[in-house]
Amino acid sequence: MFLSKVPILSLLLLLPPGLADIVLHDQCWHEHVLRSVNIFSSHDRHIEYAAFVQLSISSQEKETHAPWSYPPTCTDILPSLNDRLCVYTSTTFSNGRGISLFTTPSLATQFASLPGFADPSALAKQHVNKFTNTWRATSIPNKGIGMLATKPLQFKDRVTSYTPAFLAYLEGDLSTMEREKWWRIAIEQLPDNIKNDFLSLTYVFGDERVRVQDIVKANTFQVEVGGVNHLAVFPETSRLNHACNPNAQYVIDTDLLSHTVHVTRPIAEGEEITIAYTSPLDLTPQRQAHLQSGFHFTCTCPRCTSSTTDPTLARIQTLQSHLNDWSATSLGSPALAEELLQLHRDEGLEGFMDVAYGFAALAYSAVGDEARAVEFAERAREALLMKDGRWSGNLRIWEEMVGDVGGHWSWRRRL
């Protein structure tokens, strides 16, 4: 599949009453985004084929470089980093699934200290890298390989949860073929099963000379470790195709290095399971431009071919503006919040309703309806956990409201 997402903007910024007007910004995108990456470096005069290498390692060397299964191989010092980038592979990670990194020595140490590495049981306890029997990958006309549901699925059902095969520091120092050489070493050192799964993924350009980079371009997410962005490829979840009205949502756990997909509305047996590669809250021309420029396809989903999608998005913005107005003349009300929620459902945006639920929680709190305010605060929290994870700074906003709605700044503010 082809994956890309725009960087996240501030999702929620609630300022204490008395200091400024209360502002609830609309959602933009994930904290952990997909990336579009360049394949060819501008300074490459010509490109030669990079061959896959055959490697062997003695048991003594493996013990010397624990937790890594091979001696790290490194570049020279790179100017922009003032450091080397090295290939680190663990063939024993997650009970032999394996993982390869291309990162700095200090960051490799940080990776190795994460619970997913340091505690062999951490991934198993969360059922990561376990097949859920909810999907199968198959060829879909005009869409390549996609993922179909093998049984009826309901809201919050888990579809997949996997760790990446490969993570790479995002740099601009290496030439195309230098990068390909190092990345190929990382892939070749993986256990055969996951290496073959990686190499079977979708291409963008189909150029065998840069096969690994081509696969990464088409299938990469962004994972931040040690404050540094890394490109990450999860072979199983790379089978999910795009829709601007997706029926599933994903979240990345940077402690476990896991990518987990949940259902956001009922899915029938045999129906395709989809996620969004670009923000579905962007206008149609923006979505199309992003998908075309980065991934060379034109989306023909119902929202992209509808004449009503962009006016609906404009109405969503208007409703949010009213609900965000806390002046004495504000039009914000539970009725407008309910309309906002329904417009999201009509557009198939169930996986992107955390902000809409948040507005509803505030609207009902503002008129003194405790039960409904708590209900929607809980839904906002639930939606955030499925999209941005427990690290989201916005999570505490809704947890505080659930814990004490009567003490919240919005309580009975519009009476």
Side-chain angles (χ1 to χ4, degrees), residues 136 154 283 332 344 364:
R136 63 184 176 90
Q154 302 300 319
L283 296 175
H344 279 74
Y364 278 104

Side-chain angles (χ1 to χ4, degrees), residues 48-320:
E48 298 175 352
Y49 284 88
F52 280 93
V53 296
Q54 298 296 324
L55 301 167
S56 62
I57 186 78
S58 70
S59 59
Q60 182 177 0
E61 286 176 310
K62 288 184 180 181
E63 292 176 3
T64 302
H65 299 284
W68 312 113
S69 303
Y70 297 85
T73 54
C74 303
T75 67
D76 293 331
I77 299 292
L78 300 181
S80 70
L81 308 181
N82 194 30
D83 203 349
R84 304 174 190 272
L85 290 174
C86 305
V87 175
Y88 299 89
T89 302
S90 171
T91 59
T92 59
F93 178 77
S94 188
N95 294 319
R97 174 179 171 85
I99 191 170
S100 278
L101 317 174
F102 186 55
T103 191
T104 66
S106 61
L107 286 168
T109 300
Q110 293 192 50
F111 272 102
S113 69
L114 293 174
F117 275 91
D119 180 2
S121 67
L123 294 170
K125 287 177 181 176
Q126 297 300 319
H127 306 290
V128 178
N129 296 327
K130 302 293 184 183
F131 184 56
T132 60
N133 292 307
T134 60
W135 61 276
R136 63 184 176 90
T138 188
S139 179
I140 297 177
N142 303 315
K143 298 182 74 174
I145 302 296
M147 189 179 287
L148 301 183
T150 56
K151 61 182 181 181
L153 301 175
Q154 302 300 319
F155 174 70
K156 289 183 66 176
D157 282 349
R158 178 183 287 196
V159 179
T160 58
S161 185
Y162 288 97
T163 53
F166 176 58
L167 297 106
Y169 192 112
L170 183 58
E171 46 72 31
D173 296 82
L174 298 174
S175 70
T176 299
M177 295 317 294
E178 288 173 327
R179 185 179 304 111
E180 184 74 12
K181 178 190 74 173
W182 294 107
W183 287 14
R184 286 196 179 208
I185 292 173
I187 301 307
E188 184 60 33
Q189 290 181 163
L190 289 168
D192 285 344
N193 286 344
I194 196 165
K195 176 178 71 175
N196 293 333
D197 287 346
F198 178 95
L199 293 174
S200 69
L201 294 175
T202 298
Y203 293 22
V204 174
F205 299 108
D207 191 331
E208 186 62 25
R209 297 171 297 178
V210 288
R211 183 177 181 184
V212 174
Q213 288 174 90
D214 204 350
I215 289 171
V216 171
K217 176 177 175 61
N219 298 278
T220 191
F221 288 78
Q222 175 180 293
V223 175
E224 185 177 296
V225 173
V228 177
N229 290 326
H230 289 73
L231 305 176
V233 176
F234 303 81
E236 293 84 359
T237 48
S238 289
R239 297 306 187 185
L240 287 157
N241 279 320
H242 164 78
C244 293
N245 57 346
N247 52 26
Q249 180 60 283
Y250 72 87
V251 63
I252 292 178
D253 184 323
T254 53
D255 285 343
L256 299 179
L257 296 179
S258 63
H259 176 294
T260 302
V261 177
H262 292 100
V263 173
T264 56
R265 62 172 179 268
I267 300 175
E269 180 178 351
E271 183 181 350
E272 185 175 11
I273 304 169
T274 57
I275 60 174
Y277 298 180
T278 189
S279 175
L281 292 168
D282 283 344
L283 296 175
T284 301
Q286 293 173 282
R287 300 196 310 274
Q288 292 283 17
H290 185 236
L291 294 171
Q292 185 59 243
S293 64
F295 305 97
H296 309 281
F297 74 91
T298 299
C299 183
T300 57
C301 76
R303 292 188 69 222
C304 285
T305 56
S306 171
S307 61
T308 62
T309 291
D310 288 352
T312 298
L313 290 174
R315 178 60 180 168
I316 285 174
Q317 292 296 321
T318 297
L319 291 171
Q320 290 183 163

